[in-house]
Amino acid sequence: YKMKKELLIITTSELTINSFLLPLINKLKKKIKITVISNFYSRSYNQLKKQGITVYNLNINRKIKIISDLKILIQINKIIKKNKFKLIYTITPKAGLLGMFSGYINDVPQRIHIFTGQVWVNKFFIFKIFLKILDKLIFYFSTDILCDGLNQKKYLNQNGFVKPITVINNGSICGINTSIFKPSKKAKLLFRKKFNIKDNEKVFLYTGRMSSEKGIKNLLNTFFLLRKKNFMVHFFFVGLDEDGFFDKKTKNIEGIHYFEHTKNIDEFYKFSDIFITSSYREGFGISVAQAMSSKLPIIGPSIYGLKDLLINNLNSYTFKVGNDEELYRCCLKLIKNNDAVVRLGLNGRKMIKKKYEEKKVISEYYNFLIGKLIV
């Protein structure tokens, strides 16, 4: 009986596991022994345990909290010391720093971190330098660096991150299941009826974290401007409201619909007309790719993280990040031109099917990680 090789996965939040890693974990667990460290707050902890995966629930925080971060580092260190891991795979900055450092001091042979966007992009002065240094440390302590987009790799290289960076397949961390994220006329009619949306009213959708750096304020400004000009639009926001945008007052405004993170996110794409984001920084932009797969045209900022996906006037209308006037004009173009809605949506789905099909992407990650374990 050959002992299964051991792989440790560390993420800051279980949301990362649920949103991106489950298909890969399900494929890997047949071949290797998996341990997962994350901050669990729902049923995922028990579900993973039932599948024979060793799970540790540590209270890892996204934000920098020195005392609690040191405690977490000690805990991770203990877990790594106790087990003979051949490979550590980390996602999200905090998990990357703590995991790669622990792996380094414990001589874990394979230490892989994947970058899914840079926290420091829209920061300034000393704070920016400090955050960049933390990313440089992740580079230093790892044996391999991945990132989930070709333009992100280029951006890192331009910013002095010179260690070889691998982009698997064409980018993306998990690809898109195009048989789930697809348009449905039936679902569209059903949901529009449920929310009392008329045929001539356009539904805009944003999914993801609600935080200032995701440009939620810009989206709300755009909504109010459209309504002021008598355009009957509905804006749906789906995701975790980190910065308290959707208080009672905002929630009660006609045309604004807010839902916390939901399991069946694909249903929201199915009944929407247009996907909209005004994020100031982004990695690959998985929600944008899900929307494209669902045949939605995209309105999004021309930032490096989204450049792999968004081609202006082909599958999207792009605008200068933070420019509300341009954002508003992009909305008008699609409200007034239904042919453009159809054309951009069609091209978007074509691109996802060609370059980012989930099965292909997961299979490439699987081969990469298994290859590292065999070494």
Side-chain angles (χ1 to χ4, degrees):
Y1 173 76
K2 252 177 119 179
M3 201 185 107
K4 279 187 171 180
K5 294 261 173 47
E6 293 223 11
L7 161 70
L8 170 64
I9 296 172
I10 310 175
T11 78
T12 312
S13 151
E14 72 164 41
L15 200 59
T16 307
I17 294 162
N18 296 339
S19 305
F20 311 129
L21 293 180
L22 284 181
L24 180 61
I25 288 172
N26 289 333
K27 197 168 164 71
L28 285 165
K29 73 178 183 197
K30 295 168 191 165
K31 196 99 171 179
I32 55 178
K33 191 171 184 302
I34 300 175
T35 300
V36 175
I37 296 175
S38 193
N39 188 355
F40 290 93
Y41 39 82
S42 77
R43 291 194 305 270
S44 306
Y45 180 82
N46 290 324
Q47 282 165 349
L48 288 172
K49 270 181 95 167
K50 272 182 200 161
Q51 293 171 28
I53 290 155
T54 309
V55 192
Y56 291 93
N57 189 3
L58 301 188
N59 189 21
I60 309 171
N61 200 294
R62 282 182 79 96
K63 297 187 165 73
I64 295 168
K65 296 197 170 179
I66 295 192
I67 304 294
S68 95
D69 290 346
L70 283 170
K71 282 182 187 166
I72 296 291
L73 181 62
I74 291 162
Q75 288 173 290
I76 290 174
N77 206 35
K78 268 187 191 165
I79 294 164
I80 291 173
K81 263 192 162 60
K82 202 173 88 177
N83 298 276
K84 282 274 173 270
F85 295 115
K86 176 92 191 272
L87 191 157
I88 299 177
Y89 182 45
T90 58
I91 298 158
T92 57
K94 179 77 67 74
L97 186 62
L98 302 180
M100 290 297 104
F101 177 64
S102 294
Y104 179 81
I105 60 173
N106 286 293
D107 286 327
V108 175
Q110 303 290 335
R111 305 180 299 276
I112 302 170
H113 177 74
I114 181 163
F115 281 97
T116 57
Q118 283 63 56
V119 184
W120 39 266
V121 170
N122 55 332
K123 303 290 187 281
F124 297 99
F125 311 121
I126 290 184
F127 194 43
K128 183 170 188 159
I129 294 163
F130 172 67
L131 291 171
K132 252 181 151 175
I133 289 167
L134 296 183
D135 272 1
K136 288 255 168 95
L137 287 171
I138 294 174
F139 260 68
Y140 179 76
F141 294 130
S142 64
T143 56
D144 288 87
I145 288 291
L146 305 178
C147 81
D148 64 354
L150 294 161
N151 273 290
Q152 188 182 170
K153 175 183 174 171
K154 198 167 136 190
Y155 186 80
L156 281 165
N157 289 156
Q158 286 166 350
N159 276 273
F161 291 83
V162 288
K163 193 174 185 169
I165 301 167
T166 305
V167 176
I168 289 179
N169 197 47
N170 298 300
S172 150
I173 193 170
C174 56
I176 304 295
N177 186 335
T178 59
S179 61
I180 290 175
F181 293 97
K182 62 179 183 185
S184 158
K185 278 184 179 160
K186 193 180 163 191
K188 194 162 195 156
L189 289 168
L190 205 74
F191 275 90
R192 289 175 90 98
K193 201 172 168 186
K194 184 181 170 182
F195 292 110
N196 202 15
I197 296 164
K198 297 182 182 77
D199 287 350
N200 62 337
E201 296 174 351
K202 283 274 185 277
V203 174
F204 288 78
L205 173 70
Y206 167 84
T207 65
R209 288 189 301 119
M210 312 285 161
S211 66
S212 301
E213 63 188 10
K214 295 290 183 183
I216 302 300
K217 206 175 259 179
N218 306 75
L219 295 184
L220 288 169
N221 290 346
T222 305
F223 167 81
F224 290 122
L225 190 56
L226 287 166
R227 276 295 180 111
K228 201 175 154 186
K229 304 277 187 185
N230 290 324
F231 289 107
M232 278 307 290
V233 291
H234 293 261
F235 273 43
F236 278 76
F237 295 88
V238 185
L240 207 60
D241 186 7
E242 291 180 2
D243 291 351
F245 288 101
F246 297 94
D247 53 17
K248 273 194 179 122
K249 199 174 111 198
T250 318
K251 273 184 195 167
N252 287 330
I253 293 167
E254 192 205 352
I256 288 179
H257 311 261
Y258 168 70
F259 296 84
E260 262 193 50
H261 196 78
T262 172
K263 260 191 164 172
N264 306 330
I265 195 91
D266 54 292
E267 289 177 355
F268 284 90
Y269 294 107
K270 283 185 173 85
F271 76 84
S272 300
D273 297 304
I274 296 153
F275 187 86
I276 187 167
T277 173
S278 55
S279 186
Y280 284 76
R281 69 171 187 90
E282 205 62 69
F284 172 75
I286 202 84
S287 56
V288 170
Q290 288 170 344
M292 287 167 71
S293 181
S294 309
K295 258 193 198 166
L296 296 186
I298 312 295
I299 294 172
S302 49
I303 51 176
Y304 74 87
L306 295 178
K307 278 184 181 167
D308 290 347
L309 287 170
L310 300 187
I311 301 166
N312 188 44
N313 209 21
L314 179 78
N315 54 25
S316 57
Y317 287 139
T318 59
F319 59 92
K320 191 171 182 291
V321 66
N323 188 324
D324 285 3
E325 203 176 302
E326 278 188 30
L327 171 57
Y328 173 72
R329 281 206 298 271
C330 291
C331 292
L332 280 193
K333 274 188 198 174
L334 287 176
I335 289 169
K336 291 175 173 180
N337 186 347
N338 215 43
D339 289 348
V341 170
V342 174
R343 178 176 61 84
L344 301 183
L346 204 66
N347 290 337
R349 180 156 171 92
K350 267 186 204 161
M351 180 197 259
I352 299 301
K353 287 196 83 153
K354 189 180 167 189
K355 294 173 81 172
Y356 303 107
E357 188 65 73
E358 182 184 85
K359 266 190 183 151
K360 173 97 166 70
V361 177
I362 294 300
S363 161
E364 297 274 342
Y365 273 96
Y366 174 84
N367 292 339
F368 179 82
L369 293 172
I370 292 290
K372 292 289 173 186
L373 283 163
I374 290 164
V375 170

